[in-house]
Amino acid sequence: MTVKVAINGFGTIGKRVAEAVLKQDDMELVGVTKTRPDYLAKAASLRGLLYVPEEKLQDFEKSGIEVAGTLDELLRKVDVVVDATPGGIGKEYKKVYEKYGVKAIFQGGEKHEVAGFSFSTLCNYEEAHGKQYARVVSCNTTGLLRVLCTLHKEIGIEKVRATIVRRGADPHETKRGPINAIVPNPVTLPSHHGIDVRTVLDIDIATTAVVVPTTIMHLHVLNIVLKENVSKEKILEALEAAPRILVIPSEFSGIKDTAKIIEMARDMGRKRYDLNELAVFEESISVNGKELFLMQAVHQESIVVPENIDAIRALATNVSKEESIRKTDSTLGLVK
Amino acid sequence: MTVKVAINGFGTIGKRVAEAVLKQDDMELVGVTKTRPDYLAKAASLRGLLYVPEEKLQDFEKSGIEVAGTLDELLRKVDVVVDATPGGIGKEYKKVYEKYGVKAIFQGGEKHEVAGFSFSTLCNYEEAHGKQYARVVSCNTTGLLRVLCTLHKEIGIEKVRATIVRRGADPHETKRGPINAIVPNPVTLPSHHGIDVRTVLDIDIATTAVVVPTTIMHLHVLNIVLKENVSKEKILEALEAAPRILVIPSEFSGIKDTAKIIEMARDMGRKRYDLNELAVFEESISVNGKELFLMQAVHQESIVVPENIDAIRALATNVSKEESIRKTDSTLGLVK
Amino acid sequence: MTVKVAINGFGTIGKRVAEAVLKQDDMELVGVTKTRPDYLAKAASLRGLLYVPEEKLQDFEKSGIEVAGTLDELLRKVDVVVDATPGGIGKEYKKVYEKYGVKAIFQGGEKHEVAGFSFSTLCNYEEAHGKQYARVVSCNTTGLLRVLCTLHKEIGIEKVRATIVRRGADPHETKRGPINAIVPNPVTLPSHHGIDVRTVLDIDIATTAVVVPTTIMHLHVLNIVLKENVSKEKILEALEAAPRILVIPSEFSGIKDTAKIIEMARDMGRKRYDLNELAVFEESISVNGKELFLMQAVHQESIVVPENIDAIRALATNVSKEESIRKTDSTLGLVK
Amino acid sequence: MTVKVAINGFGTIGKRVAEAVLKQDDMELVGVTKTRPDYLAKAASLRGLLYVPEEKLQDFEKSGIEVAGTLDELLRKVDVVVDATPGGIGKEYKKVYEKYGVKAIFQGGEKHEVAGFSFSTLCNYEEAHGKQYARVVSCNTTGLLRVLCTLHKEIGIEKVRATIVRRGADPHETKRGPINAIVPNPVTLPSHHGIDVRTVLDIDIATTAVVVPTTIMHLHVLNIVLKENVSKEKILEALEAAPRILVIPSEFSGIKDTAKIIEMARDMGRKRYDLNELAVFEESISVNGKELFLMQAVHQESIVVPENIDAIRALATNVSKEESIRKTDSTLGLVK
Ligand SMILES: NC(=O)c1ccc[n+]([C@@H]2O[C@H](COP(=O)([O-])OP(=O)(O)OC[C@H]3O[C@@H](n4cnc5c(N)ncnc54)[C@H](O)[C@@H]3O)[C@@H](O)[C@H]2O)c1
Ligand SMILES: NC(=O)c1ccc[n+]([C@@H]2O[C@H](COP(=O)([O-])OP(=O)(O)OC[C@H]3O[C@@H](n4cnc5c(N)ncnc54)[C@H](O)[C@@H]3O)[C@@H](O)[C@H]2O)c1
Ligand SMILES: NC(=O)c1ccc[n+]([C@@H]2O[C@H](COP(=O)([O-])OP(=O)(O)OC[C@H]3O[C@@H](n4cnc5c(N)ncnc54)[C@H](O)[C@@H]3O)[C@@H](O)[C@H]2O)c1
Ligand SMILES: NC(=O)c1ccc[n+]([C@@H]2O[C@H](COP(=O)([O-])OP(=O)(O)OC[C@H]3O[C@@H](n4cnc5c(N)ncnc54)[C@H](O)[C@@H]3O)[C@@H](O)[C@H]2O)c1
């Protein structure tokens, strides 16, 4: 039995999740919704996958791009909808999803309360079974949780202080800045990222964040106090054993910044240079007693894709966590 | 019979040409040379393709990456070497190539005189037959010549004035700027790009160039006076009929800048988001009597790859121009 | 007799014009209007110069910043208002200015039709005498006209083709991009800048423009066909003799980009590093027969300030052009 | 009695210190040294202040810029030399300074060992009295120490964890990147900045640093554990009472990023928009028990200027710390 899936909102996140769904043998992509008739809409149309909100039907008719139906018609046909509309819009759509009785997965731009349950595979996959709604936490929170849940389980975390250096815009968003500034975001501390982590993992965490003029990746500086003294080897071992964490080895010492990580993803032939894995700089891992420092880079456009696929399974099937990770990661070609 | 090919210099250009050679059924990639033991070297080593300059043997030994031989050994085994070393280094290597009697293809960072013959497929493929050396002109010159040779042949060009807005660095080059400036480059006018065009196509051309803080593409503003009055339709027809020119249609009106072109290449699944095609904005084409304006974007990292493949054929085989373009473009998956 | 002046809109342009008015012995700054209670409002308030739109009175009361009156009260007291509100807002205010019978000077963000007369000192100062309204053309158009009117008068211009490489945002505008792209703006050619030039100077001109990720200056590449053959010396002489054009000498060959020009303005002690002068790179001036190339840099935030001061005089007094230029330039400390 | 001062290295730091020396009634600027004949050299020459290394005499002769003498001649005439040559060069010059028996002040680009004493006014002014050499710590370390020495004295510091988000290049350095990346610098943690702090203040501190594509300011995120519970008011009070710390008030809530801080410095009429003060965002100050978070911005080009002036006094006179701060800050026009 395959899970029938719809994607509402076919932008940065939506188009990636849609392609990932197509690769799962236990899922069927029934349709995606677009609001603008562009080349992506045309591509979806050619595969019979294009649905649009009713009020947009006319725009698409004018453009000559054929539509398979309306969003409402799409929702009638599916088990799960992945909502990848812009932050705050998902909340509005929840009523529609409720009406059709479909399970829904929201993204990090929505508040925790919209779904009532925040999801991150390595932390709480099992708790999602049977739920009607889940929110896949944001790219930054997903990046933090991959490491934090891993280390918390393996070693135990006492306290986390982290600084998030955020990309200003996604690569295609040419209207957003900053061009030449460092922008505290938020300027009131600590930032919401720590609070977001705590919707999933109950630890002492405080975060701060700035936005800088780059488009390709976020970078996190983590300062973690563990429950016990550890060695760098132990940390390395834990991170290397965990799924979806790519430790960038020191021996390839050329890979020392976010641009070089992306170059590596390009060389690996990743579509759109997506790096679903969190990238941890091995060289940055530094341990002193219980205290750990490390730096990690997050490919904001793609890191949440595996978690979205897992969330579909967790909500709509009884596939186990290990099995879901295995299926997701092998179909997406993740390294490990 | 297949042409045996070596790539000397396995960086931005070299790694792309190497992969393109692997896709040709009439060529064999015998080896590539690297000077630093990084992950690309490791990948080449695993396929038995890694050769290194003699003086680097020790570095590689230390790193544990296995080497198939030295550059000299490699040159003994091949018919053609593609020199993709940094600008100015190719000149030094010419003596070595001469020593082994291999044909050599240089890149745009070398002076015209190094090869004595500058190459651009659409302009002068046939003239290359039988030559010992050729220089594939730079990314900017290649971009200019694709349009200029096409229009010169179809309509006739009287005069070209062009401004080149250049990317400051390739994406992975994080040490190069500028961060916040527009840099005339050169500040003395006209720039060398027009002179470079004239090593291939003898027309009245003068160019100017500035460098700006972006990494993804160059953008050219062309102002062309044609030999006769034309319509926009005629120009469009000529450009759309030409190989390796991608006219970005106005109807997909979202694609209005270099970042959106790259996003399109990412969505198309191009490896490393390479766009071997020159991208011309349809909306920018504007005709008034004999005068034509247009804007085009050049993906600096990949635009010269097809020309390198053609140059190998032109020097080492008697495959015709049309046949070479067909083979190159279909194996590289170019749109048209 | 002094001209009583109000500034409506105390942002990037307004604050500079206000300070320039304060330096004129034939003008009195009666007040400025602000819409937000920030530190600039506080400074204006302390000098008794702060007026606000009626609907904003409450906001200012809450903030504790004392207000001298409403915009309407201010307009009653003045002869001339300089409208430096954001583009398109000036048009709305015109009715208010009409109501109070004050002369008004608009900025380049307004359409020519709003004032019915577009102004640029070196081109048409005299024509402004007695007019009720004038529009000081935009920063880019002002930069173009300084050179074009100078050369047209001295030598005669047959044709101009220019490419404008624009800054993406002013330095303080951290929400605007692009971060990493070159954006044709507009993508349909030619751009409006040439049309804007023609509201002042009737010549054959066509322009193209792109926006790039920098905040400090615009850069123009000019390709001019003159009415007769000229020498580089003749061009240099004409430009050096003209007011408000600063030829950056080749001997100070370090100043080769927009950042170095700004560094020079900083070293000169210019407030806010303003460069009211147009900066022409001497090295870029290149002449071939009747054809001239040159590159010039425009400090977008400040270049229109002298023209605004002259426009006040032209509208409200019968001071001659030469006298106005002399007064404006000496009070602003312009070099020449 | 006035202290006779030379500045060796008239670049970003040197030109600012020279101008600051000129404003001190107890100091005399005898000369500055330049290695390139540019407009700054010309300006210094016109005031009779230009000295050059002997081997550069010819370059200057050719350029027609008159020279007052050689570096050696200059050193014979002075009591103190401020070495503001590029990092690492000062070490070489130490032998020359020794030869002439002049006291010398080095900058943060030199190692602590070069001077054997690292200086920061608020921390250890008194200890400098009578010393032959001092090193004014780097811009980042100076920024950290202003806050840390203040809070350590007022409240007591137990531990500091700080992340430094660094500008990639100074505004005029158009060859340096990155253009579009976040660069861990260093990638091995913790960074040297904490170690540098400890050359002056012996506390438990660990720092991390990344470089980003901006030119105007560094930004620090500080996480401090104090010796006792404090209130936000207490912190504010301490910072507001300290010299050279500018708390950006929340009520001027528009100033929320580094670009807006610079805009404020421009509006204040600071030459070159220099902000000798450390800028702390009031809104960012957050206290929880003993734990304090705050964000502060450092104007890298100018923050060390007051400390250089104080260092001259500390080494060459017996003026007290309070008196030196008072003189320095009032002559430089610092706010407080
Ligand atoms: N971009 C990232 O870096 C990133 C990372 C992780 C999570 N997220 C979250 O994912 C969600 C989607 O973000 P995105 O970056 O993909 O946004 P996006 O703007 O790239 O895509 C949103 C898509 O939704 C469509 N859309 C807009 N309004 C709609 C409506 N009313 N009905 C249906 N479709 C509509 C748009 O056309 C667009 O295709 C947000 O919650 C965001 O916070 C984004
Ligand atoms: N990058 C572009 O945008 C671009 C575009 C078109 C043409 N080109 C031209 O292509 C050529 C190569 O440029 P690139 O960008 O690929 O450079 P690159 O720096 O990315 O790669 C050069 C490669 O040559 C290797 N190398 C360096 N010195 C060597 C030596 N002595 N012997 C052997 N190998 C050596 C380096 O290790 C590196 O792998 C230049 O002529 C350049 O002007 C570059
Ligand atoms: N910034 C530039 O580079 C530049 C250069 C030349 C010309 N201009 C033109 O100058 C004009 C002003 O641009 P700017 O860059 O100074 O804008 P700005 O946004 O910096 O300043 C506009 C000011 O007007 C105020 N304002 C907004 N709405 C108002 C209203 N309804 N009533 C009164 N005041 C209002 C704002 O508070 C702000 O202080 C525009 O026409 C623009 O096109 C700008
Ligand atoms: N720029 C900053 O942000 C900053 C901030 C704080 C401290 N510093 C430190 O201040 C010192 C100077 O840095 P800067 O940024 O002013 O450098 P800079 O490159 O701007 O200036 C250095 C000056 O020294 C001159 N110079 C070079 N070699 C010389 C030589 N052999 N003899 C004499 N003069 C020579 C150069 O011509 C130049 O004028 C360094 O130690 C640096 O680490 C710099």
Side-chain angles (χ1 to χ4, degrees):
Chain A
M1 206 217 69
T2 64
V3 185
K4 291 183 195 317
V5 181
I7 310 287
N8 188 23
F10 196 61
T12 302
I13 301 302
K15 68 188 177 190
R16 286 172 166 85
V17 175
E19 292 175 11
V21 168
L22 282 170
K23 291 182 179 156
Q24 309 308 313
D25 63 9
D26 54 351
M27 301 183 191
E28 182 196 344
L29 182 66
V30 181
V32 304
T33 68
K34 283 242 28 146
T35 49
R36 265 185 324 172
D38 57 12
Y39 69 90
L40 283 179
K42 199 160 181 176
S45 167
L46 291 173
R47 309 178 72 160
L49 293 171
L50 182 65
Y51 291 76
V52 304
E54 186 136 18
E55 68 275 19
K56 298 281 178 179
L57 275 174
Q58 240 183 347
D59 291 8
F60 281 81
E61 225 158 85
K62 253 186 273 171
S63 77
I65 296 179
E66 212 166 316
V67 156
T70 64
L71 169 60
D72 287 71
E73 289 166 359
L74 175 60
L75 290 176
R76 268 199 206 98
K77 304 185 192 167
V78 300
D79 304 311
V80 180
V81 60
V82 176
D83 182 293
T85 58
I89 307 279
K91 187 187 162 193
E92 302 308 314
Y93 271 113
K94 188 179 173 189
K95 297 159 217 154
V96 187
Y97 305 151
E98 238 160 355
K99 180 172 151 197
Y100 291 104
V102 294
K103 295 185 179 242
I105 291 161
F106 298 92
Q107 307 303 318
E110 304 303 321
K111 296 230 169 79
H112 171 74
E113 289 68 33
V114 171
F117 175 71
S118 290
F119 177 87
S120 199
T121 306
L122 303 193
C123 308
N124 63 2
Y125 179 94
E126 290 91 348
E127 292 173 39
H129 277 312
K131 293 221 187 287
Q132 190 70 3
Y133 300 115
R135 180 185 72 119
V136 171
V137 292
S138 76
C139 46
N140 279 308
T141 308
T142 297
L144 289 170
L145 284 170
R146 290 221 188 127
V147 158
L148 297 181
C149 287
T150 297
L151 295 183
H152 196 48
K153 195 170 308 168
E154 294 298 318
I155 302 162
I157 288 178
E158 209 165 285
K159 199 172 79 164
V160 181
R161 296 295 176 263
T163 297
I164 297 175
V165 185
R166 294 169 56 189
R167 62 90 181 97
D170 284 339
H172 70 282
E173 298 179 305
T174 49
K175 295 213 167 132
R176 288 177 66 179
I179 294 175
N180 189 23
I182 303 170
V183 182
N185 188 292
V187 69
T188 49
L189 302 183
S191 75
H192 58 273
H193 303 90
I195 296 162
D196 206 38
V197 162
R198 300 190 53 203
T199 63
V200 173
L201 179 67
D202 186 24
I203 50 169
D204 173 0
I205 177 168
T207 54
T208 52
V210 296
V211 170
V212 300
T214 186
T215 60
I216 50 177
M217 293 189 107
H218 304 298
L219 187 141
H220 298 171
V221 183
L222 265 61
N223 177 20
I224 302 177
V225 181
L226 295 157
K227 289 241 161 90
E228 50 189 61
N229 284 3
V230 285
S231 63
K232 174 160 176 170
E233 288 63 43
K234 170 103 193 202
I235 299 292
L236 257 175
E237 213 175 278
L239 297 182
E240 282 175 347
R244 299 175 189 171
I245 296 177
L246 188 63
V247 179
I248 308 287
S250 318
E251 50 172 303
F252 292 156
S253 59
I255 309 183
K256 284 199 207 263
D257 57 50
T258 58
K260 303 242 171 50
I261 291 177
I262 294 299
E263 188 73 5
M264 181 195 69
R266 296 173 80 198
D267 288 336
M268 290 163 77
R270 291 293 177 86
K271 181 164 181 185
R272 297 189 184 94
Y273 66 75
D274 281 358
L275 196 70
N276 298 124
E277 296 93 337
L278 175 76
V280 176
F281 294 97
E282 180 185 335
E283 280 180 283
S284 76
I285 301 173
S286 158
V287 177
N288 186 359
K290 293 191 199 174
E291 190 173 9
L292 164 67
F293 280 101
L294 66 80
M295 286 188 183
Q296 60 185 36
V298 171
H299 183 230
Q300 80 275 359
E301 299 176 291
S302 73
I303 193 171
V304 297
V305 173
E307 270 73 3
N308 269 278
I309 296 302
D310 294 333
I312 295 173
R313 276 202 198 89
L315 256 57
T317 77
N318 46 28
V319 171
S320 73
K321 172 175 158 183
E322 287 65 34
E323 174 66 4
S324 183
I325 292 178
R326 202 197 50 72
K327 278 178 105 81
T328 303
D329 292 6
S330 66
T331 51
L332 297 186
L334 297 207
V335 174
K336 190 132 280 180
Chain B
M1 206 216 71
T2 63
V3 186
K4 292 182 196 314
V5 181
I7 310 286
N8 189 22
F10 195 62
T12 303
I13 301 301
K15 69 188 176 188
R16 286 170 167 86
V17 174
E19 292 174 12
V21 167
L22 282 170
K23 292 182 178 155
Q24 309 308 314
D25 62 10
D26 54 352
M27 300 182 191
E28 183 197 343
L29 182 67
V30 180
V32 305
T33 67
K34 284 242 27 146
T35 49
R36 264 185 325 171
D38 58 11
Y39 68 90
L40 284 178
K42 199 161 181 176
S45 167
L46 290 174
R47 308 178 73 161
L49 293 171
L50 182 65
Y51 292 76
V52 305
E54 186 137 17
E55 68 274 19
K56 298 281 176 181
L57 275 174
Q58 238 184 349
D59 291 6
F60 281 80
E61 225 158 86
K62 251 185 273 171
S63 77
I65 296 179
E66 212 166 317
V67 156
T70 65
L71 170 60
D72 287 73
E73 288 166 357
L74 174 60
L75 289 177
R76 270 199 205 98
K77 304 185 193 167
V78 299
D79 305 310
V80 181
V81 60
V82 178
D83 182 293
T85 58
I89 306 279
K91 187 187 163 194
E92 301 308 315
Y93 272 114
K94 189 180 172 186
K95 298 159 218 154
V96 187
Y97 305 151
E98 240 161 353
K99 178 172 154 200
Y100 292 103
V102 293
K103 296 188 179 239
I105 291 162
F106 298 93
Q107 307 303 317
E110 303 304 320
K111 296 231 169 80
H112 171 74
E113 289 67 34
V114 171
F117 175 71
S118 290
F119 176 87
S120 199
T121 307
L122 304 193
C123 308
N124 64 1
Y125 179 95
E126 290 90 349
E127 292 173 40
H129 276 313
K131 293 220 186 287
Q132 189 72 1
Y133 300 116
R135 180 185 71 120
V136 171
V137 292
S138 76
C139 46
N140 279 308
T141 308
T142 297
L144 289 169
L145 283 171
R146 291 225 187 123
V147 158
L148 297 181
C149 287
T150 297
L151 295 183
H152 197 47
K153 195 171 310 170
E154 292 298 317
I155 302 162
I157 288 177
E158 210 165 286
K159 199 172 80 163
V160 180
R161 296 295 175 265
T163 296
I164 297 174
V165 185
R166 294 170 55 189
R167 61 91 181 97
D170 284 340
H172 69 282
E173 298 179 306
T174 49
K175 295 213 168 132
R176 287 178 65 179
I179 294 174
N180 189 23
I182 303 170
V183 182
N185 189 290
V187 70
T188 49
L189 303 184
S191 74
H192 58 274
H193 304 91
I195 296 162
D196 206 38
V197 163
R198 299 190 53 204
T199 63
V200 173
L201 179 67
D202 186 23
I203 51 170
D204 173 359
I205 179 168
T207 54
T208 52
V210 296
V211 170
V212 301
T214 186
T215 60
I216 50 177
M217 294 189 104
H218 303 298
L219 187 142
H220 298 172
V221 183
L222 265 62
N223 177 20
I224 303 177
V225 180
L226 296 157
K227 288 243 160 88
E228 51 189 59
N229 283 4
V230 285
S231 63
K232 173 161 178 171
E233 286 65 41
K234 171 104 193 203
I235 299 293
L236 257 175
E237 214 174 276
L239 297 182
E240 283 175 346
R244 299 173 190 173
I245 296 178
L246 186 63
V247 179
I248 307 287
S250 318
E251 50 173 305
F252 292 154
S253 59
I255 309 182
K256 285 199 208 264
D257 56 51
T258 58
K260 303 246 170 48
I261 291 176
I262 293 299
E263 187 74 5
M264 182 194 69
R266 295 173 81 197
D267 288 336
M268 289 163 77
R270 290 293 178 86
K271 181 164 183 187
R272 298 188 183 95
Y273 68 72
D274 280 358
L275 197 69
N276 298 124
E277 297 92 336
L278 174 76
V280 176
F281 294 98
E282 179 185 335
E283 280 180 283
S284 77
I285 301 173
S286 158
V287 177
N288 186 1
K290 294 189 198 175
E291 189 172 9
L292 165 67
F293 280 101
L294 66 80
M295 286 187 182
Q296 61 185 36
V298 171
H299 183 230
Q300 80 276 0
E301 300 176 289
S302 73
I303 193 170
V304 298
V305 173
E307 271 72 3
N308 269 280
I309 297 301
D310 294 333
I312 295 172
R313 278 204 195 87
L315 255 58
T317 76
N318 46 27
V319 172
S320 73
K321 171 176 161 184
E322 287 66 34
E323 176 64 4
S324 183
I325 292 178
R326 202 196 51 72
K327 277 179 107 81
T328 304
D329 291 7
S330 65
T331 50
L332 298 186
L334 297 207
V335 175
K336 191 135 279 180
Chain C
M1 206 218 69
T2 63
V3 186
K4 289 182 196 319
V5 181
I7 310 287
N8 188 23
F10 195 61
T12 302
I13 301 301
K15 67 188 176 188
R16 287 173 166 85
V17 174
E19 292 175 11
V21 167
L22 282 169
K23 291 183 178 154
Q24 309 306 314
D25 63 9
D26 54 353
M27 301 183 191
E28 182 196 343
L29 182 66
V30 180
V32 304
T33 67
K34 284 240 29 143
T35 49
R36 266 186 323 172
D38 59 11
Y39 68 90
L40 284 179
K42 199 162 182 175
S45 167
L46 291 173
R47 309 177 74 160
L49 293 172
L50 182 66
Y51 291 76
V52 303
E54 187 136 17
E55 68 275 17
K56 299 280 178 180
L57 275 173
Q58 240 183 345
D59 290 8
F60 281 80
E61 225 158 85
K62 254 185 273 171
S63 77
I65 297 179
E66 212 167 317
V67 155
T70 64
L71 170 60
D72 287 72
E73 288 166 0
L74 174 60
L75 290 176
R76 270 200 205 96
K77 302 185 193 167
V78 300
D79 305 310
V80 180
V81 61
V82 177
D83 181 294
T85 57
I89 307 279
K91 186 187 163 194
E92 301 308 315
Y93 272 114
K94 189 180 173 187
K95 298 158 216 154
V96 188
Y97 305 151
E98 237 161 356
K99 179 173 153 198
Y100 291 104
V102 292
K103 293 183 182 243
I105 291 162
F106 299 93
Q107 306 303 317
E110 304 302 322
K111 295 230 169 81
H112 171 75
E113 290 68 34
V114 171
F117 175 72
S118 290
F119 177 87
S120 199
T121 306
L122 303 193
C123 308
N124 64 1
Y125 179 95
E126 291 91 348
E127 292 174 40
H129 276 312
K131 292 220 187 287
Q132 190 70 3
Y133 301 115
R135 179 185 73 118
V136 172
V137 291
S138 77
C139 46
N140 279 308
T141 308
T142 297
L144 290 169
L145 284 170
R146 291 225 186 123
V147 158
L148 297 181
C149 287
T150 297
L151 295 182
H152 197 47
K153 197 171 307 167
E154 293 298 318
I155 301 163
I157 287 177
E158 210 165 283
K159 200 172 79 164
V160 180
R161 296 295 176 264
T163 296
I164 297 175
V165 185
R166 295 170 56 189
R167 62 90 182 97
D170 284 340
H172 69 282
E173 298 179 306
T174 49
K175 296 214 168 130
R176 286 178 66 179
I179 293 175
N180 188 23
I182 304 171
V183 182
N185 189 292
V187 69
T188 50
L189 302 184
S191 74
H192 58 274
H193 303 92
I195 296 162
D196 206 38
V197 162
R198 300 191 53 202
T199 63
V200 173
L201 179 67
D202 185 25
I203 50 169
D204 173 359
I205 178 168
T207 54
T208 52
V210 296
V211 170
V212 301
T214 185
T215 60
I216 51 177
M217 294 189 105
H218 303 298
L219 186 142
H220 298 171
V221 183
L222 265 61
N223 177 20
I224 303 177
V225 180
L226 296 157
K227 289 242 161 88
E228 51 189 61
N229 284 3
V230 285
S231 63
K232 174 162 178 169
E233 288 63 42
K234 171 103 192 200
I235 299 293
L236 256 176
E237 213 175 277
L239 297 182
E240 281 175 346
R244 299 172 190 173
I245 296 178
L246 187 63
V247 180
I248 308 287
S250 319
E251 51 173 302
F252 292 155
S253 59
I255 309 182
K256 284 199 207 265
D257 57 50
T258 58
K260 303 245 171 48
I261 292 177
I262 293 299
E263 188 73 4
M264 182 195 70
R266 295 173 80 197
D267 287 335
M268 290 163 77
R270 291 293 178 86
K271 182 165 182 185
R272 297 188 184 94
Y273 67 72
D274 281 358
L275 197 70
N276 298 124
E277 296 93 335
L278 175 75
V280 176
F281 294 97
E282 179 185 334
E283 281 180 283
S284 76
I285 301 173
S286 158
V287 178
N288 186 0
K290 294 190 197 174
E291 190 172 8
L292 165 67
F293 280 100
L294 67 80
M295 286 188 184
Q296 60 185 37
V298 171
H299 182 230
Q300 79 276 0
E301 300 175 291
S302 73
I303 194 172
V304 298
V305 173
E307 271 72 4
N308 270 280
I309 297 300
D310 294 333
I312 296 172
R313 277 203 196 89
L315 256 57
T317 77
N318 45 29
V319 171
S320 73
K321 170 175 160 184
E322 287 66 34
E323 176 66 3
S324 182
I325 292 178
R326 202 196 50 72
K327 278 179 106 81
T328 303
D329 291 6
S330 65
T331 51
L332 298 185
L334 298 206
V335 174
K336 192 133 278 183
Chain D
M1 205 217 71
T2 62
V3 186
K4 289 183 196 317
V5 181
I7 311 286
N8 188 23
F10 195 62
T12 302
I13 301 300
K15 68 188 177 189
R16 286 172 166 86
V17 174
E19 292 175 11
V21 167
L22 283 170
K23 291 182 178 156
Q24 309 307 314
D25 62 10
D26 54 352
M27 300 183 191
E28 183 196 345
L29 182 67
V30 180
V32 304
T33 67
K34 283 240 29 143
T35 49
R36 265 186 324 172
D38 59 9
Y39 68 92
L40 284 179
K42 198 160 183 176
S45 167
L46 290 174
R47 308 177 73 160
L49 294 172
L50 182 66
Y51 291 77
V52 304
E54 186 135 17
E55 68 275 19
K56 299 279 177 181
L57 275 173
Q58 239 182 349
D59 291 7
F60 280 80
E61 225 158 84
K62 253 186 272 171
S63 78
I65 297 179
E66 212 166 317
V67 156
T70 64
L71 169 60
D72 286 72
E73 288 166 359
L74 175 60
L75 290 176
R76 270 198 205 97
K77 303 185 193 168
V78 300
D79 305 310
V80 180
V81 59
V82 177
D83 182 293
T85 58
I89 307 280
K91 186 187 163 193
E92 302 307 316
Y93 272 114
K94 189 180 172 186
K95 299 158 216 154
V96 188
Y97 306 151
E98 241 161 352
K99 179 173 154 198
Y100 291 104
V102 293
K103 293 183 181 245
I105 292 162
F106 298 93
Q107 306 303 317
E110 303 303 321
K111 296 232 168 81
H112 171 74
E113 290 67 34
V114 171
F117 175 72
S118 290
F119 176 88
S120 198
T121 307
L122 303 193
C123 308
N124 62 2
Y125 179 96
E126 290 91 346
E127 293 173 40
H129 277 311
K131 293 220 186 288
Q132 189 71 1
Y133 301 115
R135 180 185 71 119
V136 171
V137 293
S138 76
C139 46
N140 278 309
T141 308
T142 298
L144 289 169
L145 283 171
R146 291 226 186 123
V147 158
L148 297 181
C149 286
T150 297
L151 296 182
H152 196 48
K153 195 171 310 169
E154 293 297 319
I155 302 162
I157 287 177
E158 210 165 285
K159 198 172 80 164
V160 180
R161 296 295 175 262
T163 297
I164 297 176
V165 185
R166 294 170 56 189
R167 61 91 181 96
D170 284 340
H172 70 282
E173 296 179 305
T174 49
K175 296 212 168 132
R176 285 178 67 179
I179 294 175
N180 189 24
I182 303 170
V183 182
N185 189 291
V187 69
T188 49
L189 303 184
S191 74
H192 57 274
H193 303 91
I195 296 163
D196 206 38
V197 162
R198 300 189 53 202
T199 63
V200 173
L201 179 67
D202 185 25
I203 50 170
D204 173 359
I205 178 167
T207 54
T208 53
V210 296
V211 170
V212 300
T214 185
T215 60
I216 50 177
M217 295 188 104
H218 303 298
L219 187 141
H220 298 170
V221 183
L222 265 62
N223 177 20
I224 303 177
V225 181
L226 296 157
K227 289 242 160 89
E228 51 189 61
N229 284 4
V230 285
S231 63
K232 173 160 178 170
E233 287 64 42
K234 172 103 193 204
I235 299 293
L236 257 175
E237 214 176 275
L239 297 181
E240 282 175 347
R244 300 174 190 172
I245 297 177
L246 187 62
V247 180
I248 308 287
S250 317
E251 50 171 305
F252 292 155
S253 58
I255 309 182
K256 283 199 208 263
D257 57 50
T258 57
K260 303 247 169 47
I261 291 177
I262 294 298
E263 187 74 4
M264 181 195 70
R266 296 173 80 197
D267 287 336
M268 290 163 76
R270 290 292 178 86
K271 181 164 182 186
R272 297 189 184 95
Y273 68 71
D274 281 359
L275 196 70
N276 298 123
E277 297 92 337
L278 173 77
V280 176
F281 294 98
E282 179 185 336
E283 281 180 282
S284 76
I285 301 173
S286 158
V287 178
N288 185 1
K290 294 190 198 174
E291 189 171 10
L292 165 67
F293 280 101
L294 65 81
M295 286 188 183
Q296 59 185 37
V298 171
H299 182 230
Q300 79 276 2
E301 300 175 291
S302 73
I303 194 171
V304 298
V305 174
E307 270 72 4
N308 269 281
I309 297 301
D310 294 334
I312 296 172
R313 276 204 198 88
L315 256 57
T317 77
N318 47 27
V319 171
S320 73
K321 171 175 160 184
E322 287 65 35
E323 175 65 4
S324 183
I325 292 178
R326 202 197 50 72
K327 278 179 105 81
T328 304
D329 291 6
S330 66
T331 51
L332 298 186
L334 298 207
V335 174
K336 192 134 280 179

